Amino acid sequence: MSRGDRRRNEKLARLRAVITRESAVLAFDLAADKQVCALTDPDSQVLARRTVRCKAWQLSDAVEWGLARAAEAGYGSVVVACEPTGHRWRVLDQIAAQFGVVLVCVQPLLVCRAREAEDFTRNKNDDTDAMIIARLVTELRCYLPERADPTWARLRHLGARRAGLLVAAGAARQQVRDLLECAWPSVLEAASKPLDSANWLAAVTVALDRVGESGDLGVIGRWGPTRFAAAVRRELGTTRWHGAIVRAVFDAATDPAHTAVGVTGQRAGALERVGYACADLTARRTEIVEVESRMLAVLDQLGLTDLVSSIPGVSAIGAATILAQAGDPARFTSARALVKHAGLCPRDNASGTYQGKTGISGRGRPELRLAAWRAVFTALRHNPVLAARHTHLTGRTDNPLTDTQARVACAASLLRQLHAVIVTGTAWDPAIAAGLDRHEDPNPQNGAAAA
């Protein structure tokens, strides 16, 4: 048997230990205010149905009803099942645990595909979905969901908050650029990377506060460069001062050649919106710093900071972002399972002698895939093993990869390295990461130089 066969057999054995051939299945189709449940036997024949108008946290009576009906039908073992819809499955999991039964989850994609397989139509209703969930469970086409401890759960919530803040900051940043390109484009030339400059942002914020609703940039000139610079210093606080950027912003507001550029009819309203967007951008960046400090504190609490920081090119916050989406790596049976969870595993496309073009599966958690993709850009500059792998993949004569494809492969390698470091509790070792013996040199150039 292949390694995949053995792991699949182990997974089925774990499920069969929970879902025995004598177990009844109490399947729920969860929604906001309407919960539909179906009790089936091991052959997915429906024994009873019930529809409850209540919230998910009010399902105790429905679970108790299902257990009673299963006992009446002669089943001493019951498994509760549902789709992992939002937070509701976690509520049902807690209720099931209170009654001493286990909850399993069925992927919504499987339910969607199984609807058509049921009667060759795309018929969809809550009663049918509950029965389909139960049938998939009896076929062992389900999984035991992750039940993270409070510390790991907190890291996941903080990671979700950070991801949302990054999106909001990016939206505010793009809005500032778009509006200024229309109404006041010359100010964008005051710094090489204006939206990354704290001095530029402070100077623009001060200027817009002074301009107010009128949109008249002439008030900045009447204020004078000295008073303007002093106001910017107060806005910056302890941030390092760059007088050239502040002076360039002042010139963009006072030089007629600069103020004449742009759609003047839109200037007043656009600059007012820019003021709001700058405030949003500053606030989101402040919140990101706070959330990241809390994520690092959780990483310290888990005792993983030193381990993840031992991987060259991976910062503690970068690793925390990945772990926030992946959860505890120890819950995966192998590093490849973590890569598959991220959707970065290769998707084969072969039949007989035909070998088609392959790519990544793209399934799993897209947020985890994105976190690994972002982390690999820095890692490639500082991690010799990943850099060597990228060079090999793009430079080999047989089936060379593009730069993007090689970066995706390196992102998967980074996840495998992170899994190995955390699960084994061993700091990153270049020889092990390169797949060599500990005593072998991972850099072949060193061996050639020594020879």
Side-chain angles (χ1 to χ4, degrees):
M1 293 190 299
S2 67
R3 180 177 58 181
D5 290 331
R6 290 193 297 270
R7 287 178 175 166
R8 181 176 180 274
N9 290 346
E10 291 170 0
K11 174 186 174 182
L12 293 176
R14 289 193 298 269
L15 288 173
R16 181 57 72 192
V18 175
I19 309 164
T20 67
R21 302 187 189 279
E22 291 78 30
S23 296
V25 180
L26 180 61
F28 285 85
D29 184 72
L30 302 174
D33 301 301
K34 177 186 175 184
Q35 323 299 337
V36 177
C37 58
L39 179 68
T40 71
D41 66 6
D43 294 323
S44 74
Q45 297 186 44
V46 178
L47 303 176
R49 287 187 180 275
R50 186 176 181 184
T51 300
V52 185
R53 300 282 179 177
C54 67
K55 300 292 185 181
W57 58 84
Q58 299 170 326
L59 279 173
S60 296
D61 291 342
V63 173
E64 186 176 11
W65 167 86
L67 296 179
R69 294 302 299 269
E72 292 174 3
Y75 293 97
S77 174
V78 178
V79 177
V80 178
C82 69
E83 294 176 281
T85 52
H87 65 278
R88 300 185 185 98
W89 75 269
R90 298 185 184 276
V91 179
L92 182 59
D93 184 28
Q94 181 170 290
I95 293 174
Q98 293 172 355
F99 284 94
V101 294
V102 177
L103 177 132
V104 296
C105 289
V106 178
Q107 283 288 355
L109 180 60
L110 271 180
V111 178
C112 179
R113 299 286 172 84
R115 289 193 196 106
E116 190 168 355
E118 185 66 25
D119 58 1
F120 306 106
T121 70
R122 296 184 178 179
N123 178 58
K124 182 187 185 308
N125 60 66
D126 296 339
D127 293 329
T128 301
D129 284 357
M131 182 271 296
I132 290 175
I133 292 172
R135 176 168 63 81
L136 291 172
V137 170
T138 60
E139 297 171 357
L140 300 185
R141 301 179 69 186
C142 57
Y143 66 94
L144 296 170
E146 175 194 11
R147 294 171 177 86
D149 63 35
T151 306
W152 281 103
R154 184 182 175 219
L155 181 61
R156 172 157 290 183
H157 285 293
L158 288 172
R161 174 60 178 169
R162 179 179 180 271
L165 289 172
L166 288 175
V167 172
R173 175 193 176 101
Q174 189 61 43
Q175 189 177 77
V176 170
R177 179 179 292 277
D178 289 346
L179 292 172
L180 288 178
E181 285 179 348
C182 173
W184 189 17
S186 58
V187 75
L188 291 171
E189 301 176 359
S192 59
K193 295 182 179 180
L195 293 169
D196 294 329
S197 169
N199 281 258
W200 182 90
L201 188 59
V204 170
T205 300
V206 169
L208 295 178
D209 288 344
R210 184 65 178 173
V211 168
E213 301 176 3
S214 66
D216 181 16
L217 295 173
V219 299
I220 305 298
R222 294 190 291 271
W223 203 12
T226 303
R227 294 179 62 189
F228 179 76
V232 175
R233 282 183 180 273
R234 290 193 297 270
E235 179 73 18
L236 280 171
T238 59
T239 305
R240 184 179 177 183
W241 167 265
H242 289 278
I245 294 177
V246 177
R247 181 67 191 190
V249 173
F250 181 82
D251 292 342
T254 56
D255 189 341
H258 291 162
T259 57
V261 180
V263 184
T264 56
Q266 295 284 330
R267 180 167 291 169
L271 293 185
E272 188 175 13
R273 281 184 65 194
V274 170
Y276 286 125
C278 286
D280 291 341
L281 180 59
T282 302
R284 299 296 85 77
R285 285 176 172 174
T286 302
E287 290 183 61
I288 289 172
V289 172
E290 179 185 354
V291 170
E292 287 180 348
S293 65
R294 296 191 179 193
M295 292 176 69
L296 293 177
V298 174
L299 206 62
D300 288 337
Q301 187 177 351
L302 292 169
L304 299 177
T305 303
D306 292 338
L307 281 175
V308 298
S309 299
S310 67
I311 304 177
V314 179
S315 64
I317 190 62
T321 303
I322 293 175
L323 294 177
Q325 298 298 333
D328 186 359
R331 71 189 181 94
F332 296 97
T333 56
S334 65
R336 187 180 185 280
L338 174 58
V339 174
K340 187 175 181 180
H341 187 61
L344 291 172
C345 60
R347 174 182 54 81
D348 203 2
N349 183 21
S351 178
T353 59
Y354 170 77
Q355 178 63 57
K357 185 178 180 180
T358 62
I360 61 172
S361 70
R363 299 298 186 184
R365 293 185 65 88
E367 298 88 354
L368 174 57
R369 189 161 60 250
L370 177 61
W373 169 256
R374 286 173 172 169
V376 82
F377 279 81
T378 304
L380 282 176
R381 293 197 296 268
H382 304 282
N383 190 309
V385 175
L386 290 181
R389 177 168 174 75
H390 181 274
T391 302
H392 165 71
L393 292 175
T394 55
R396 63 190 182 186
T397 55
D398 181 25
N399 190 27
L401 302 184
T402 65
D403 176 69
T404 300
Q405 291 172 329
R407 287 179 184 271
V408 170
C410 290
S413 297
L414 179 59
L415 289 181
R416 286 191 286 269
Q417 292 182 22
L418 194 62
H419 179 276
V421 164
I422 294 176
V423 172
T424 63
T426 305
W428 186 85
D429 184 278
I432 298 176
L436 306 175
D437 183 79
R438 282 180 177 271
H439 304 291
E440 294 184 66
D441 191 339
N443 189 349
Q445 295 179 354
N446 295 340

